[in-house]
Structure formats: C-alpha cells, structure tokens
Amino acid sequence: MSNAMYDKIWHQTQEALSALLDKESQKMIEPQRNQVFIFQTLATFYIKYVQIFRNLENVYDQIIHPQKRILIRKVLDGVMGRVLELKNEMVELELTEFHYFDDILQDLKLTPEQLDIPIPKYFLKEKLEVIKGREKILAQILADSGIDTSEVKYSVKSIPFDEAVKLIQIAERARQGRLRASFMKQIFLQEYRAKQSKTLDQKVMNRWAAALRIQKVWRGFHECKNTEKLREEEMVFLGMAPPPFFNEVSATVIQAEKVDRLRNEVQIKHEEDYREALVTIKNDLKLMEGLDIKENLQDQIRHWFIECRNLTGTFPDYPDIEEGGSAIIFSNKTTQQEEDEEWKMAPSVFLPAMKEGNNTYKDIWMNKDESWNFSQDYDPELIKEEKRKELESEIRVQVDELMRQELKNLKLAVDREREHPEKARKKTEKKGKKEKKAKKDNDLTADRTIESLYKELVEEGLLIRALKVNLSDYIGDYSYLGTTLRQVSIEPMPSLLDVRQLITLYGIWPLGSAAVHEKAPLVKSLLLVGPAGVGKKMLVHAICTETGANLFNLSSSNIAGKYPGKNGLQMMLQAVFKVARQLQPSVVWIEDTEKTFYKRVPSAEKMNEPKRLKKHLPKFLKLVKPEDRILIVGTTQRPFDAELQSFCKVYQKIILVPRPDYASRYVLWKQIIERNGGVLTSALSISCLAKVTDGFTQGHIVQAVKGVLTDQRIRRQTSKPLTAVEFIMAMTSMDPVYKEEEESFKNWYAKTPLGTKRALAIKGGSTGKAKDSGKKKKK
C-alpha cells in the first residue's frame, strides 16, 4: 500500500474522530436517567474509539513523514486513554468487568472480531535495542551463574562394558533379522510372479472383455474423483471449507513484508534527519533572525513603557520571571477560552489532548499541498515556525534582563525619583524552613547500584526470563449468548476473547505507553482466577512479551528460604522495587497467590512461610505512583483458600478466566492441530471434537494434540488422515473441569467487592442507580 493510501486513511480517520468528539460533547451535556441509554451511549463511543484507534495505529506504523507521526502519536495516546476512561465508566455503571455489545455491533454493522483490542506495534519497535541489550545481559548472568534454563542439558549415564556389548549385539541381530526377512520377501515375490505368468499364458483371455473391465474401473475412478472435486468446490463456495492454497504464503504477501521492512528503514532515516534538522534549522534561525527578533521584542516593550506612561503618568512594574516575564504582557488567552476547553460530561484528561491534536490536523495537514514532498521527508517551514517560537522565548529572557535595567534607568532619568530598592517579588525560599521529615524507612540497598541489584535478583531466581508468547496465541472466540443470558437474569461466564481484551486494557496498554499509564485510571494490581490449564501463566508471559517488561517472580514457593528475617524481606522488596522502577515497564508475578493470604496454613507448608508478603504487599502498592509502570499480577486456581478481605484489598482488578466454551474449543482444536503440523481434512470432524471435549481446558487440548501428533504420525497423514477418535482417546485419561468447579469460581467471584455490588444491584432491579445519581451531580 502506498504512502498516499495511508495518508487517505489518516484523513478519513481524523474526520471520524472529529465527528465523534462533536457527538460526544453534544450527547453527554444533558443528564440522562435511563441506565440502558447511558450504557448504549458509552458502549457506542467505546466501540467507535476502538475502530479509530485500530486505523490510527496502522497509519502510525506505516506512514513515514516524521512530523505527521508526532501528531498521530499524540492523538493515538489520547484515543487509547479515552478508551480506558470509557471502560472504567462502563464498569462503574454495570458493576462488572465484562460487557456485551451484540445490539450495538449489529447497528454499526461490525463483527465481534473488530472488538478485539489491537496492541500498538511501537511498544516494542521503539525499544527494540533496549530489550535486546537487556536480554543479552540476562542471558550472560544466567550462563555465568550456571542456572541458564534456555538450553536443555542432557546428562549422559555411563553403563558397564559388558552391558554395552550386549546392547550392540541385540541391535545387530535385529538388523540382520530385518535384512533376512527382506530377502525372503523378494524371493517369494519372484516365485509368485513366475507362477502367475505361466497361468496367464495358459489362459487366452478375450481382449474385448479385458478392455471393457479396464474401462469400467477407469470410469468409476474418474467419476469418484470428479464428484469429490465438485463437493470440495461446493464447500468452498458455501464457506464451509478453506479454498485451495489457503494457508500458503503468496508472493504478494512476501513482497508486502519486504516493502514493510523497507518502510521501517525509511521511517528511522526520516526520524534521524528530522532530529538533526531541529538543531541545524534553529542555529540557522539564530544567525539570520536572532538580531531582528531581539530588536522587535525591545521595540514592543519600549512601546509598552511609553503607553503606560501616557495612560497612568508613571512607568509600569516589570513582570517577574516566575510570572512569565514580558510574555505575559502580550498574551491573548482569556479565561473564557480556558473554560471552553473543559469537558462537561466527566473529568477526562485525554479529550483536551485529542481536541488539540485534531485542531492541529485541521490547521496544518487537512488541506496542505504536499505535491512537492514525494519522499515524505520533514517540512522545514513547520520546523522554522516551531523553532522561531522557541528561539523567541530564549531571546526574551535575555531581553527582559536588559529591559529591566533600561526601565530602571528611565525611572531615574525621566521621573527623577529617588531610587528606592524595589521589593523583590520573587518568592524567596525560607532558609530556615524545615522540610517535612518523611517517615523514617531504612534503605538497606542505599549503597548498591542498579546493575548489582539486577544481577543479584537474577542469580536468586527472582528476576526471570519471560517466555516468548504473544497475546494473539491466547486463542478464543466471542460470547454470542452474553446479552441473551443477561436478559433472562443469568450471569454468563466470560469468553476467552473478553479475557484477552481485559489483559490488553489493564495490563498491556498502560505498561506499553507512559503517557497513558500516567493519566488513565490507574490499575496497579491484577488477579487472574481460574482452574488449572486455562492459560493464566501464559497471559502473564504475554504481557511481558508484548511490552518488553521485566518479569519478577515473588511466588511463595520461589522466595521460600531466600532473604530470611525481617530485614532480609525488606531488602528483597526494596531491591525488586528499585530495579522494577528503574528498568520499567515491569511485571511482579505471584503464582498461587492465595498462599500469601491463606486462611489457615497447611502444616506441610509452614516451613516455607507462605504468608511472608501478606503485610508488605499493600505497602509495595502504595509506593507505585502513576509514573511508575509497574504491575502486580497474581494467579490462582484456589481463591477459596484465601482471606477474602485482605485478598481483594491487594488486587484492584479481578479477572475470572473460564474454561473454553464450544466456540472457543472449536477454534482451539483447529489452530492447535495446524500449529503442531496436523493437516485438516474431511475425515477429521472438528465440531465433533469441540462438542465431546466440553469441560476440558486449553492445557488438556494442547497435551492431547502433542501426544497424538508425533513425528511418525505427521509423516503418515498423506496415507492415513487424522480422525477425531485419535484425539478423544488421548483425552480419556484426563480429568475435565466439571460444572460444579466452575460454579464454585462464580460463587467466589460473587463475594468479591464488585461481584457483591452487582448482585445487590440486580436484586434491586437496576445495576446503576447509584451511578445515575452520581452522573446527575457531575453534569
């Protein structure tokens, strides 16, 4: 796709954003009492912003003009933050993390796949070198300390000489036996052929009968093949089967990937040229226009002296540096303009940024003629305009100093007033003022460098290497019955696609973008709850992979016996926090986190002190500020064993990860079989597999597929296609997640703060009465 095409997509997306900003302003000015209407309005805005974000992210990744990219990035961060704000509003309104938009999707003519939240590619692109360097250092530390788990080391067990000779003899005899059997088979076939040839010679066969028989066999074979081909074409036409060569990579895709790589190289070059131009153009402006700017400023200020003298009879007081110097005299911005920028629906820190970005687009890029700029390099005139303002501000500081002295001399010479030492308006700092002493907290790692702490945490196994897993590898499908079930007062289990969206919104987006993390509703901690095998651990590693985050493992089993005593524990947490903050983004993972909050510690685990972190985790969370991209993620398959109150106090967001439903199982079977070398044919009924394996998790399916698809079985697929029975037989020894276990998770979730609020609201007949009253006050 050409750069002009991406420019066109950008213009269309900006128009859609402009219309949405206007609509959002109009719709939400009037207070609304109808909860359904409020939710539909919020959900519509949410879905539209997601589509705008999808287009903008694609444009930002592909467009090569450096100044356009700066503006797009600003708007992109604003849209990302607004999506998170709207999500927060919907959670408060419906009192649930999971929402269903079936009606709205139908009205907007969108598919459920378009609800999937994209992950910006620049999260990794812009820090690729940093991530590679960090991985290299991590690998070196692991190798030096002898705990490198990336390479599997096989231990060679030595055996006695006699046993070795015996093994070789057995193998040799087996080889000779196979060879002898092969010779005997060949001899038998030769004798059989000779006997058959003698028999045929004796019988004179009718040629016409022989020809007729051959024709019958050939025509039957040909018709079977023709019927099979027509059947395949029909299935492809109906959309029930993929077209031929569907999974093969075409030459067009290969060429597109090559163009994409070249475009990335051009992007980097243009960015470098732009950064160099910022310096050179400013220096050129300083030489060519610096004196003129200085003289103009001095003339303006002198004119102001004379005007004030004529009006008031005295010279004015010169504004201080803290007030903005002479710039404040010529500022045109009024209070009314500031008031107009405020968002009237609810406090939003991202709407002004989006409006500003949209206005900049309209003023500069909307109707700009770029016929001269075929290569899409930087625009020097825009840089001059920007740097001229910057240069003016720098020169103004120098001019202010000169003009203050000039004003002082004028007052002495013209007014002939006695020189009084002017009272300095500067806010002098009181030297004797005692700073508030922070609560004394001994820093046990004060004399340590970040590098030494990093190395120690790696050697202790607290800072671990994240597995290379993308969030897209967490396969699932949309819940198509969510709205229907809620209409009959049944709370549905969330779908895997819902879980994936929440991981993106609460984990990946804020960790990937500093601008979003600092201003969006802050999520410091996340809890993933669900049975074994549903992919909780995989999601933790996916967050790290998609954002390039460090992964700290503070599970009770991992810290057992490490850093003993009160001081040791304090030092460990200080080291983790320092490294996590310095090398952000970072994820602190606590596996089997219910152990940290045990109601009653089992006698077998008392020696490991599983509750060591219980009192310290709330303190750790308090240290995390909006500018610190640190996320605590807990995973548990037995939340019932934990003290609910302290558990929910630490974990701000709780995500219930379910076993896969039929739609998700269908997609899982299909994709996992293909990823492991399996070929899908008409002999393999995926729908049958998905139906029969109700209750089994992703872990079960992966285990079954890997067990069946051995190297030998993959080679035999051409002669013996895969069947559903093979996979079902592999799962007979596994225990599924029964309905009772799933219900126990739902019942536990209903006791959490958000679950309790929703249950009370449903019992009261509405999920948003309190929210509605709050909205009235806001508006």
Side-chain angles (χ1 to χ4, degrees):
M1 198 184 284
S2 66
N3 204 71
M5 192 65 189
Y6 284 110
D7 261 340
K8 189 178 178 182
I9 295 171
W10 179 39
H11 291 311
Q12 289 171 348
T13 308
Q14 284 289 164
E15 285 173 18
L17 177 63
S18 182
L20 186 58
L21 289 170
D22 292 341
K23 195 171 182 181
E24 196 171 356
S25 301
Q26 293 165 8
K27 281 268 182 182
M28 303 310 285
I29 288 171
E30 297 176 6
Q32 293 292 337
R33 295 183 182 181
N34 189 331
Q35 183 210 333
V36 175
F37 177 82
I38 293 169
F39 175 75
Q40 286 190 336
T41 306
L42 289 170
T44 305
F45 290 153
Y46 172 84
I47 293 167
K48 285 185 175 179
Y49 273 120
V50 168
Q51 304 317 307
I52 287 169
F53 176 81
R54 191 185 293 276
N55 289 334
L56 275 180
E57 196 276 324
N58 190 28
V59 168
Y60 179 75
D61 184 57
Q62 296 296 326
I63 216 161
I64 60 174
H65 196 296
Q67 287 150 304
K68 288 178 185 176
R69 281 169 58 81
I70 289 169
L71 177 61
I72 294 166
R73 173 66 178 274
K74 183 180 180 180
V75 177
L76 195 63
D77 285 339
V79 173
M80 214 187 310
R82 187 61 187 147
V83 168
L84 291 174
E85 285 179 339
L86 288 167
K87 174 67 180 178
N88 191 54
E89 290 278 336
M90 288 191 292
V91 171
E92 287 183 15
L93 181 71
E94 284 211 311
L95 301 173
T96 177
E97 297 289 355
F98 304 100
H99 316 288
Y100 301 100
F101 312 112
D102 304 0
D103 305 342
I104 301 162
L105 285 174
Q106 195 172 349
D107 292 342
L108 297 174
K109 295 179 174 59
L110 297 172
T111 60
E113 288 76 21
Q114 288 171 293
L115 272 179
D116 203 11
I117 312 290
I119 298 166
K121 298 176 194 74
Y122 74 82
F123 281 2
L124 293 178
K125 262 187 179 180
E126 291 183 359
K127 52 186 295 189
L128 198 60
E129 294 303 316
V130 176
I131 293 167
K132 282 181 179 176
R134 200 179 292 165
E135 284 178 352
K136 194 175 178 182
I137 293 165
L138 181 59
Q140 188 62 48
I141 295 168
L142 288 169
D144 292 344
S145 57
I147 53 172
D148 191 358
T149 55
S150 60
E151 295 179 8
V152 180
K153 296 175 181 177
Y154 298 97
S155 58
V156 180
K157 188 180 177 183
S158 60
I159 56 172
F161 181 76
D162 294 341
E163 287 186 27
V165 171
K166 192 176 179 181
L167 284 172
I168 293 167
Q169 286 175 342
I170 291 167
E172 178 59 22
R173 284 169 188 160
R175 188 189 69 80
Q176 289 176 4
R178 287 192 297 271
L179 197 61
R180 193 179 299 112
S182 178
F183 287 147
M184 292 300 291
K185 187 179 180 181
Q186 287 176 8
I187 293 164
F188 171 77
L189 289 172
Q190 283 175 359
E191 290 175 354
Y192 180 76
R193 288 191 198 105
K195 189 186 284 187
Q196 286 291 104
S197 61
K198 286 177 184 178
T199 309
L200 286 171
D201 289 341
Q202 291 169 1
K203 292 181 180 178
V204 180
M205 194 173 184
N206 187 339
R207 287 186 179 182
W208 291 105
L212 188 62
R213 185 176 293 179
I214 291 167
Q215 285 173 354
K216 280 181 180 179
V217 172
W218 167 248
R219 283 171 183 167
F221 172 77
H222 186 265
E223 283 303 314
C224 282
K225 282 288 179 187
N226 196 31
T227 306
E228 191 178 331
K229 187 181 176 183
L230 289 170
R231 175 66 175 163
E232 285 175 3
E233 287 175 357
E234 184 186 10
M235 294 297 281
V236 170
F237 176 74
L238 294 172
M240 299 295 286
F245 312 111
F246 179 71
N247 293 320
E248 287 189 14
V249 180
S250 67
T252 311
V253 172
I254 294 167
Q255 179 63 20
E257 288 175 354
K258 186 181 176 182
V259 170
D260 193 39
R261 285 195 298 273
L262 289 170
R263 185 180 277 115
N264 287 338
E265 289 170 11
V266 174
Q267 274 181 355
I268 293 164
K269 185 181 180 299
H270 282 193
E271 290 282 351
E272 288 171 357
D273 293 346
Y274 173 68
R275 281 195 290 269
E276 287 173 10
L278 289 174
V279 178
T280 54
I281 289 175
K282 184 180 177 181
N283 291 336
D284 293 344
L285 277 172
K286 196 170 186 178
L287 288 170
M288 294 174 69
E289 301 182 18
L291 283 172
D292 291 339
I293 291 170
K294 188 175 180 180
E295 287 173 8
N296 287 336
L297 287 173
Q298 286 176 327
D299 290 344
Q300 283 178 2
I301 295 165
R302 286 192 188 106
H303 186 67
W304 174 63
F305 289 166
I306 294 161
E307 276 188 348
C308 288
R309 167 80 176 173
N310 292 338
L311 288 169
T312 61
T314 57
F315 286 112
D317 293 327
Y318 209 94
D320 291 331
I321 297 169
E322 289 82 357
E323 293 171 354
S326 59
I328 197 171
I329 304 162
F330 307 104
S331 175
N332 295 322
K333 194 164 186 178
T334 64
T335 313
Q336 183 61 41
Q337 285 173 325
E338 287 175 6
E339 285 174 1
D340 289 344
E341 287 177 4
E342 290 178 4
W343 178 239
K344 295 176 182 177
M345 170 232 175
S348 171
V349 291
F350 294 101
L351 277 169
M354 280 194 288
K355 285 180 179 177
E356 188 184 335
N358 198 47
N359 291 335
T360 306
Y361 160 77
K362 286 177 181 176
D363 295 341
I364 299 172
W365 300 107
M366 190 173 177
N367 300 311
K368 191 174 179 64
D369 179 19
E370 288 192 275
S371 55
W372 61 273
N373 193 6
F374 178 75
S375 63
Q376 288 292 288
D377 207 345
Y378 64 84
D379 187 336
E381 291 304 316
L382 288 177
I383 297 177
K384 281 181 184 177
E385 192 178 329
E386 179 190 336
K387 290 298 169 185
R388 196 175 278 117
K389 290 176 184 175
E390 195 178 305
L391 186 62
E392 186 179 315
S393 298
E394 290 175 7
I395 292 172
R396 189 181 291 279
V397 175
Q398 300 168 8
V399 169
D400 282 352
E401 286 300 315
L402 293 171
M403 298 311 288
R404 275 194 190 91
Q405 189 59 43
E406 190 173 316
L407 179 61
K408 189 176 179 181
N409 294 337
L410 279 169
K411 283 182 177 180
L412 287 169
V414 179
D415 294 342
R416 294 180 181 177
E417 292 176 354
R418 188 178 173 184
E419 186 180 359
H420 290 288
E422 293 183 3
K423 292 179 182 179
R425 290 181 180 174
K426 296 178 184 178
K427 295 175 183 178
T428 53
E429 295 178 5
K430 294 179 182 178
K431 293 180 182 178
K433 191 179 179 182
K434 292 181 182 178
E435 292 181 4
K436 269 189 179 180
K437 287 188 178 179
K439 198 176 179 181
K440 200 171 182 182
D441 189 13
N442 293 329
D443 188 356
L444 302 174
T445 59
D447 57 338
R448 301 282 301 277
T449 61
I450 294 295
E451 289 77 13
S452 67
L453 290 172
Y454 182 90
K455 186 179 179 183
E456 183 181 309
L457 290 172
V458 173
E459 288 172 346
E460 290 288 344
L462 299 185
L463 202 164
I464 62 173
R465 179 185 283 157
L467 301 174
K468 297 292 175 190
V469 182
N470 294 105
L471 192 66
S472 56
D473 296 329
Y474 189 75
I475 305 160
D477 203 357
Y478 184 74
S479 178
Y480 297 97
L481 294 174
T483 305
T484 309
L485 290 170
R486 278 191 175 172
Q487 283 171 352
V488 292
S489 301
I490 298 172
E491 188 61 26
M493 282 298 282
S495 70
L496 301 187
L497 193 68
D498 293 326
V499 171
R500 198 164 77 187
Q501 285 179 356
L502 290 184
I503 293 296
T504 304
L505 291 171
Y506 294 150
I508 295 172
W509 274 13
L511 285 179
S513 172
V516 171
H517 191 277
E518 196 167 341
K519 296 176 182 177
L522 186 59
V523 176
K524 296 181 181 181
S525 55
L526 203 60
L527 178 65
L528 305 179
V529 181
V534 291
K536 301 184 294 296
K537 192 187 296 184
M538 177 187 175
L539 289 170
V540 175
H541 288 278
I543 292 172
C544 297
T545 302
E546 297 288 3
T547 58
N550 298 293
L551 181 58
F552 297 86
N553 186 353
L554 294 189
S555 307
S556 60
S557 57
N558 193 46
I559 64 171
K562 298 172 185 177
Y563 296 95
K566 190 177 179 181
N567 283 347
L569 185 62
Q570 189 179 344
M571 191 175 88
M572 179 188 79
L573 290 172
Q574 285 174 356
V576 167
F577 185 73
K578 274 189 179 179
V579 175
R581 176 186 265 176
Q582 190 69 28
L583 305 177
Q584 56 183 275
S586 298
V587 172
V588 179
W589 174 37
I590 306 173
E591 190 179 13
D592 297 329
T593 187
E594 80 282 350
K595 294 181 179 180
T596 309
F597 301 91
Y598 263 144
K599 293 175 186 173
R600 186 162 172 259
V601 180
S603 55
E605 294 185 40
K606 281 182 180 176
M607 289 292 289
N608 292 337
E609 297 180 273
K611 295 174 75 171
R612 285 177 77 195
L613 288 179
K614 184 182 177 183
K615 291 180 181 177
H616 293 83
L617 276 178
K619 294 176 186 176
F620 191 95
L621 280 170
K622 280 182 183 176
L623 292 172
V624 178
K625 301 291 183 264
E627 61 271 16
D628 302 326
R629 284 180 291 155
I630 300 171
L631 181 70
I632 295 177
V633 183
T635 56
T636 176
Q637 50 186 291
R638 292 200 56 82
F640 341 102
D641 296 343
E643 291 175 7
L644 189 64
Q645 193 175 354
S646 53
F647 203 37
C648 296
K649 192 178 178 183
V650 166
Y651 290 107
Q652 191 179 345
K653 293 286 183 183
I654 299 171
I655 301 175
L656 204 56
V657 186
R659 59 183 188 172
D661 57 7
Y662 173 80
S664 293
R665 287 196 304 276
Y666 185 90
V667 179
L668 276 162
W669 275 114
K670 193 168 179 289
Q671 292 199 25
I672 293 171
I673 288 171
E674 287 180 328
R675 288 183 185 189
N676 283 276
V679 178
L680 302 177
T681 63
S682 56
L684 177 61
S685 175
I686 299 294
S687 58
C688 171
L689 270 177
K691 186 68 179 173
V692 171
T693 53
D694 185 13
F696 289 93
T697 64
Q698 297 96 311
H700 291 134
I701 294 171
V702 170
Q703 191 180 337
V705 170
K706 287 185 175 178
V708 170
L709 291 177
T710 59
D711 292 341
Q712 187 181 2
R713 185 66 187 90
I714 290 168
R715 287 195 296 270
R716 289 174 57 213
Q717 284 183 101
T718 48
S719 58
K720 188 183 177 184
L722 293 169
T723 60
V725 177
E726 294 177 74
F727 296 103
I728 292 168
M729 289 301 290
M731 300 190 81
T732 51
S733 59
M734 301 177 194
D735 291 326
V737 178
Y738 293 103
K739 193 73 178 172
E740 292 78 13
E741 188 177 346
E742 190 178 72
E743 286 297 322
S744 66
F745 281 105
K746 283 180 76 173
N747 294 336
W748 176 84
Y749 187 77
K751 295 174 187 174
T752 62
L754 195 64
T756 307
K757 284 179 188 175
R758 179 160 180 83
L760 288 170
I762 290 171
K763 197 176 283 186
S766 169
T767 57
K769 286 181 181 176
K771 179 71 180 170
D772 288 344
S773 61
K775 283 203 173 280
K776 286 176 204 169
K777 287 174 189 174
K778 281 183 187 177
K779 298 164 189 170

